[in-house]
């Protein structure tokens, strides 16, 4: 396993490093240190959390200079194959790629993103790529925050193309959508059924649809799907950025259509920057994350408050017995928390 895949992800952190060492290592593009810093970001231990926050704070001025791309699609659509082909092509034109995965279902499904160690082998072995699976066994909110923070660290380490990958099954896309500049939806050839299988909200969020596996005996179905999706898109409200959502065909396996997708992304980035929409986009992302961070931190403090932990247990029993209403219980708990 390439060393930047960080085999120690779930183990105890090794010898502690100073914040200074972390920050210098990250700014020097040291992938080992970057991986360890992300492990710190993922840690639930309060002392690790504190150090992670310091590192993020110091990396923040060096972050932001990237294109943040969300890629989603159902398992088997070809996300890892696509990211591999696409990523290598970007690296060949001088980019540095970081791939972060969000897979809140990984614990249950035994890791539809994480489990398969052979994913993106070429990319994983490339010195200009950094691949990081999502932290397993965590609630979506936690994973989303950690991914958002990892983006900052990757940018500070010099990665200028950040790919956030999710399994297109629902809620995680909303979190990803709020942290990326462009959202690419990968679909399979053969419209109708798939269109119904994909949650309406996800299609609405997409800045581009790419129909993968447009090769061999699926090519015709893919062409037909393209027309159907294009028509279907007319039924949706216009993209919130005023961007005309393109539908492209590609074959990750045969490296077909990838250059065209990169051209669309370049064009998008150029026009967003020319229209000053890019800064607005980033501002919106930051606003969203301010509120999210507040929500998360308040929840954490609340549910870890020793008195709340004790009382909540009792009130839960009372609510079950019907001797207290859930509303009264909530009100009491908030009162305790505020004192
Ligand atoms: P993921 O689960 O979305 O990451 O999908 P994978 O990248 O693991 O691909 C699932 C399967 O589809 C693998 O067997 C791939 O070889 C195959 N596959 C991926 N992209 C293509 C493609 O463009 N054409 C064809 N024919 N097969 C593909």
């Amino acid at each position: 396993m390439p060393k930047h895949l960080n085999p120690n992800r779930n183990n105890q952190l090794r010898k502690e490093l100073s914040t200074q060492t972390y920050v210098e290592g990250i700014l020097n593009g040291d992938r080992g240190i970057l991986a360890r810093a992300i492990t710190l970001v993922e840690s639930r231990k309060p002392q690790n959390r504190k150090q992670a926050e310091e590192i993020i704070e110091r990396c923040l001025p060096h972050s932001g200079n990237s294109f943040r791309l969300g890629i989603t699609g159902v398992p088997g659509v070809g996300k890892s194959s696509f990211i591999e082909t696409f990523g290598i092509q970007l690296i060949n034109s001088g980019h540095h790629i970081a791939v972060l995965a969000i897979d809140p279902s990984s614990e249950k499904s035994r890791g539809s993103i994480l489990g398969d160690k052979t994913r993106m082998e070429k990319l994983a072995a490339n010195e200009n790529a950094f691949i990081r699976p999502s932290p397993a066994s965590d609630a979506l909110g936690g994973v989303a925050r950690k991914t958002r923070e990892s983006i900052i660290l990757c940018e500070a380490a010099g990665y200028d193309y950040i790919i956030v990958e999710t399994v297109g099954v629902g809620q995680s896309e909303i979190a990803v959508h709020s942290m990326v500049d462009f959202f690419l939806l990968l679909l399979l050839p053969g419209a109708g059924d798939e269109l119904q299988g994909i949650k309406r909200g996800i299609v609405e969020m997409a800045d581009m649809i790419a129909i993968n596996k447009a090769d061999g005996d699926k090519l015709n179905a893919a062409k037909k799907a393209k027309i159907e999706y294009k028509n279907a898109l007319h039924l949706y409200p216009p993209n919130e950025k005023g961007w005309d959502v393109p539908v492209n065909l590609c074959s990750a396996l045969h490296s077909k259509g990838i250059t065209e997708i990169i051209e669309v992304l370049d064009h998008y980035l150029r026009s967003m920057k020319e229209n000053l929409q890019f800064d607005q986009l980033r501002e919106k992302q930051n606003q969203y994350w301010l509120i999210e961070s507040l929500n998360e931190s308040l929840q954490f403090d609340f549910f870890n408050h020793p008195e709340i932990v004790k009382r909540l247990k009792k009130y839960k029993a009372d609510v079950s017995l019907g001797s207290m209403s859930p509303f009264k219980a909530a009100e009491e708990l908030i009162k305790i928390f505020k004192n």
Side-chain angles (χ1 to χ4, degrees), residues 73-82 112 116 119 165 186 212-215 218 250-254:
V74 293
V77 68
K79 289 180 299 302
S80 47
S81 314
F82 178 86
S112 38
D116 183 358
R119 300 177 93 240
E165 176 191 5
L186 291 184
N212 190 35
K213 305 197 185 184
D215 50 47
K218 295 203 188 75
C250 69
S251 166
L253 204 61
H254 301 289

Side-chain angles (χ1 to χ4, degrees), residues 21-205:
T21 310
Y22 272 118
V23 174
E24 279 173 9
I26 292 169
L27 296 182
N28 285 330
D30 182 325
R31 286 187 301 194
I33 300 259
L34 173 62
R36 287 185 64 178
I38 295 181
T39 304
L40 209 59
V41 160
E42 289 169 359
S43 166
R44 290 165 194 260
K45 290 195 193 136
Q47 73 270 27
N48 289 344
R49 184 75 216 128
K50 190 165 171 292
Q51 195 181 17
E53 272 164 18
E54 283 167 15
I55 297 168
I56 293 161
E57 208 52 40
R58 287 178 55 185
C59 284
L60 210 51
H62 307 276
S63 72
N65 194 16
S66 77
F67 186 52
R68 302 171 182 164
L69 172 67
I71 295 186
T72 196
V74 293
V77 68
K79 289 180 299 302
S80 47
S81 314
F82 178 86
I83 294 171
E84 169 122 311
T85 311
F86 173 79
I88 293 288
Q89 209 159 312
L90 287 170
I91 286 174
N92 288 341
S93 53
H95 290 288
H96 291 74
I97 315 289
V99 183
L100 305 169
I102 291 198
D103 185 5
S105 62
S106 59
E107 203 178 23
K108 270 188 232 144
S109 63
R110 298 239 133 253
S112 38
I113 283 185
L114 308 186
D116 183 358
K117 294 228 169 62
T118 60
R119 300 177 93 240
M120 304 178 221
E121 261 175 353
K122 272 190 246 150
L123 204 56
N126 193 297
E127 60 172 13
N128 293 321
F130 176 83
I131 300 182
R132 179 73 173 196
S134 73
S137 69
D138 216 334
L140 172 63
V143 179
R145 176 185 51 76
K146 288 162 191 174
T147 306
R148 161 83 187 170
E149 292 176 349
S150 303
I151 291 178
I152 291 164
L153 300 185
C154 290
E155 289 174 351
Y159 293 94
D160 64 341
Y161 229 102
I162 314 286
I163 297 174
V164 184
E165 176 191 5
T166 64
V167 178
V169 285
Q171 30 160 211
S172 51
E173 281 63 41
I174 297 166
V176 177
H177 186 247
S178 66
M179 61 176 99
V180 296
D181 307 318
F182 192 95
F183 199 59
L184 172 63
L185 172 63
L186 291 184
L187 292 175
L188 292 164
D193 294 340
E194 274 79 24
L195 193 55
Q196 284 162 37
I198 297 284
K199 298 248 172 4
R200 184 188 157 102
I202 296 180
V203 178
E204 271 176 31
M205 280 190 276

Side-chain angles (χ1 to χ4, degrees), residues 4 11 14 18 29 38 68 74 111 118 136 148 164 220 229 233 240 258 279 285 290 297 309 313 315 327 335:
H4 56 283
N11 299 346
R14 290 157 289 172
S18 69
I38 295 181
R68 302 171 182 164
V74 293
T118 60
R148 161 83 187 170
V164 184
N220 278 334
Y229 281 114
L233 280 174
E240 55 176 17
I258 308 292
D279 289 345
Q285 289 173 21
L290 166 65
S297 180
V309 173
K313 210 166 156 199
Y315 288 179
F327 314 107
K335 248 192 238 161

Side-chain angles (χ1 to χ4, degrees), residues 148 280-293:
R148 161 83 187 170
Q280 283 171 17
L281 203 64
R282 289 287 169 96
E283 225 172 83
K284 226 168 121 188
Q285 289 173 21
N286 284 334
Q287 300 285 335
Y288 177 90
W289 284 97
L290 166 65
I291 302 301
E292 277 298 291
S293 304

